[in-house]
Amino acid sequence: MSNIKAIRRKTTAIERLLRVALYLVLISVAAIYLLPFIVMLITSLKDVEEIRTGTLLSLPASLHFDSWSKAWSSACTGSTCDGISPFFLNSFQIVIPAVIISTVLGAINGYVISMWKFRGSDLFFAALLIGCFIPFQVILLPMARTLGWLGIANTTTGLVFVHVVYGVAFTTLFFRNFYQSVPGELVKAARLDGAGFFTIFYRIILPISTPIIVVTVIWQFTQIWNDFLFGVAFSGFDTQPVTVALNNLVNTSFGGKEYNVDMAAAIMAALPTLIVYVLAGKYFVRGLTAGAVKG
């Protein structure tokens, strides 16, 4: 008995050491991953002189928040702005409707392709799948001509249209793969009870789609908010998203380069996506494991 207890104690001690070692490795990896953000935050809290004379990881001698207020400034002269605040609203005006529309269209497309087969449905899905792999640069010229023909060039409406068109292929793929795991007998039984296309979708399919809706919303929000190419190609000065405004701020300087202002602006521009992932990250993982990558 004493030998068994000794072996158990040794096993427990080894397990604790392994657990401690695992946590140390995870903390180290997290620290390395967060190092760029830490550098940005430290730099944003220094004044310009301290940035020039100090080291990259040195803590600020005193906290300076002037760079944050300047980065957020809404003062605009001509075709330049001192801050990014005027363009935050533009990004939200683009992201919110584009995410909603592309999610709804993706849900309906995925529902039709997976549960209401029609002649050419597989070909339609293959075309959408090919759309996921078309490079952004390929569609710049035809999309610019289309926006001009529709009369929505250089507007937030035009950018919403672009992101919906490009994003609906991804959302359809997500929903289609998720709905493949839904029993077909469920839809057949509803048909026998007299339920129609939209009744089945609204009362049966949509209530069980919460996991994949969360995945799609997070995916689309992140892609659209962080987009730069479409924003710089299809927007005017008054309709630029925050990513384009950030680029203009970083590449425009009068006198000396203010790295603290650039870092503060970059952090503020990234905050919405960070908040979305912090609040809904676990639901994103659950949605993926619930069927978003099956089928």
Side-chain angles (χ1 to χ4, degrees):
M1 290 295 294
S2 60
N3 291 335
I4 294 175
K5 290 181 179 179
I7 293 173
R8 287 178 177 175
R9 283 196 294 268
K10 289 181 180 179
T11 303
T12 303
I14 293 173
E15 290 177 350
R16 289 177 179 174
L17 288 174
L18 290 175
R19 189 178 295 110
V20 170
L22 177 61
Y23 279 117
L24 288 176
V25 171
L26 292 176
I27 291 172
S28 300
V29 172
I32 294 173
Y33 185 79
L34 290 173
L35 188 59
F37 178 78
I38 295 172
V39 171
M40 291 171 61
L41 183 61
I42 292 175
T43 304
S44 69
L45 297 174
K46 297 177 182 178
D47 62 13
V48 176
E49 189 61 31
E50 189 176 358
I51 294 173
R52 292 171 180 169
T53 57
T55 61
L56 194 64
L57 292 174
S58 62
L59 296 176
S62 59
L63 300 180
H64 298 271
F65 294 97
D66 295 342
S67 58
W68 287 76
S69 60
K70 187 171 183 180
W72 184 251
S73 171
S74 60
C76 296
T77 55
S79 60
T80 60
C81 286
D82 294 334
I84 62 174
S85 64
F87 307 99
F88 251 79
L89 181 60
N90 291 342
S91 286
F92 280 112
Q93 288 177 337
I94 296 167
V95 168
I96 293 175
V99 168
I100 293 174
I101 295 172
S102 61
T103 300
V104 171
L105 290 178
I108 295 175
N109 287 343
Y111 166 60
V112 171
I113 293 174
S114 60
M115 299 184 180
W116 293 76
K117 293 291 186 178
F118 57 91
R119 181 178 298 179
S121 59
D122 292 336
L123 181 62
F124 176 72
F125 176 68
L128 285 175
L129 194 61
I130 293 172
C132 294
F133 301 99
I134 296 177
F136 287 7
Q137 294 83 354
V138 173
I139 68 170
L140 289 182
L141 183 57
M143 185 62 74
R145 293 177 63 89
T146 301
L147 294 178
W149 178 69
L150 293 174
I152 53 177
N154 299 329
T155 64
T156 54
T157 303
L159 284 170
V160 170
F161 176 79
V162 171
H163 286 295
V164 168
V165 169
Y166 202 86
V168 74
F170 291 96
T171 59
T172 299
L173 176 63
F174 288 164
F175 279 100
R176 180 262 182 187
N177 289 347
F178 182 82
Y179 291 151
Q180 286 290 100
S181 62
V182 177
E185 291 76 10
L186 197 64
V187 176
K188 292 179 181 178
R191 289 183 184 179
L192 290 175
D193 290 337
F197 178 88
F198 286 105
T199 302
I200 296 174
F201 177 71
Y202 181 73
R203 295 187 176 274
I204 299 176
I205 301 302
L206 207 56
I208 63 176
S209 303
T210 302
I212 196 60
I213 289 175
V214 172
V215 170
T216 304
V217 168
I218 294 176
W219 173 272
Q220 281 294 88
F221 184 93
T222 304
Q223 295 297 313
I224 297 172
W225 184 274
N226 292 334
D227 168 69
F228 174 78
L229 182 60
F230 289 160
V232 75
F234 303 130
S235 66
F237 172 71
D238 295 332
T239 58
Q240 292 175 352
V242 70
T243 49
V244 178
L246 176 62
N247 176 75
N248 294 339
L249 177 66
V250 170
N251 291 296
T252 303
S253 60
F254 301 95
K257 185 66 175 174
E258 296 179 309
Y259 292 101
N260 52 351
V261 176
D262 296 344
M263 294 299 179
I267 293 174
M268 286 189 287
L271 276 179
T273 52
L274 289 175
I275 292 173
V276 167
Y277 268 108
V278 168
L279 295 180
K282 62 180 180 181
Y283 302 106
F284 184 80
V285 176
R286 290 178 186 176
L288 289 176
T289 56
V293 293
K294 297 179 182 177

